[in-house]
Amino acid sequence: MPRIGAAGLWIAAFAVLIALPHVLSFSQQEILVFLTINVLLVSSYRLLTLTGEWSLGHVVIMGVGAYASALYAKSFGIWVPASMLLGAGTSALIAMALSYPLFRMKGFYFLIGSFAAGEVIRLLWKRMREPFGGPKGLKQIDPMPNFDLGPLHFNSFEPVSYYYFALAVVAVSLWLLWRIERSPVGLTFHAVH
């Protein structure tokens, strides 16, 4: 029996990920979209833990990007793909602002400081009905627009389209995280640890 190399395993895994949503029900496809997004969140922890530190504010920064993106689209009428990029930029700015005091803490204090910063942001979302929607969050956010890219068709009413979009974003992001870890910056992170 011939041995399957690493390339063969990657191709098989890719084929399974492509075929997976077509054997699931509609509700399972929706769960698969959220699972794919959370793969990116969990794998991004790896970059932080290379330094030996742990953060409890990671999820909240992801939420900042999600809320900002939704608010840009809903309140300002910005095209959804552009609002997603603006939401990412907004979360990066908030993370940079929080990093100034947090990076002056070490070990347990960094962990507690990141938790406190995350809780402040979370409580702001929960308490403020305007513009964040209070405890129930935002409703009636514009969906992604339908578009065609050659043989690819994105339908905003199908979770399969969102799954493939999320899978593409996660694949590119994982590749970037892998490249960063093997770069001089990644070696610096290992040295800090």
Side-chain angles (χ1 to χ4, degrees), residues 86-130:
L86 287 171
T90 302
S91 66
L93 289 174
I94 297 293
M96 278 180 30
L98 290 175
S99 69
Y100 183 76
L102 287 176
F103 285 165
R104 278 138 186 83
M105 302 175 188
K106 290 183 174 44
F108 181 72
Y109 298 105
F110 177 78
L111 183 70
I112 295 300
S114 67
F115 173 74
E119 276 299 292
V120 167
I121 293 170
R122 186 188 68 81
L123 290 173
L124 279 174
W125 293 335
K126 187 176 180 182
R127 304 258 185 231
M128 295 177 67
R129 291 207 180 273
E130 286 299 321

Side-chain angles (χ1 to χ4, degrees), residues 48-95:
L48 178 67
T49 58
L50 288 178
T51 63
E53 297 290 346
W54 290 87
S55 169
L56 296 174
H58 220 70
V59 175
V60 176
I61 295 301
M62 178 183 165
V64 167
Y67 266 101
S69 173
L71 285 171
Y72 288 135
K74 183 177 181 174
S75 300
F76 302 111
I78 296 174
W79 189 51
V80 174
S83 72
M84 291 171 74
L85 294 173
L86 287 171
T90 302
S91 66
L93 289 174
I94 297 293

Side-chain angles (χ1 to χ4, degrees), residues 164-179:
Y164 288 135
F165 177 70
L167 188 64
V169 170
V170 167
V172 169
S173 300
L174 289 177
W175 180 78
L176 287 171
L177 289 170
W178 178 77
R179 294 288 296 166

Side-chain angles (χ1 to χ4, degrees), residues 132-182:
F132 302 114
K136 294 185 179 181
L138 293 172
K139 296 178 181 171
Q140 299 175 339
I141 304 164
D142 293 339
M144 282 281 284
N146 295 338
F147 60 87
D148 292 317
L149 289 173
L152 302 174
H153 176 71
F154 186 90
N155 183 345
S156 62
F157 297 107
E158 294 178 6
V160 175
S161 294
Y162 284 104
Y163 168 72
Y164 288 135
F165 177 70
L167 188 64
V169 170
V170 167
V172 169
S173 300
L174 289 177
W175 180 78
L176 287 171
L177 289 170
W178 178 77
R179 294 288 296 166
I180 289 171
E181 187 174 342
R182 279 151 184 76

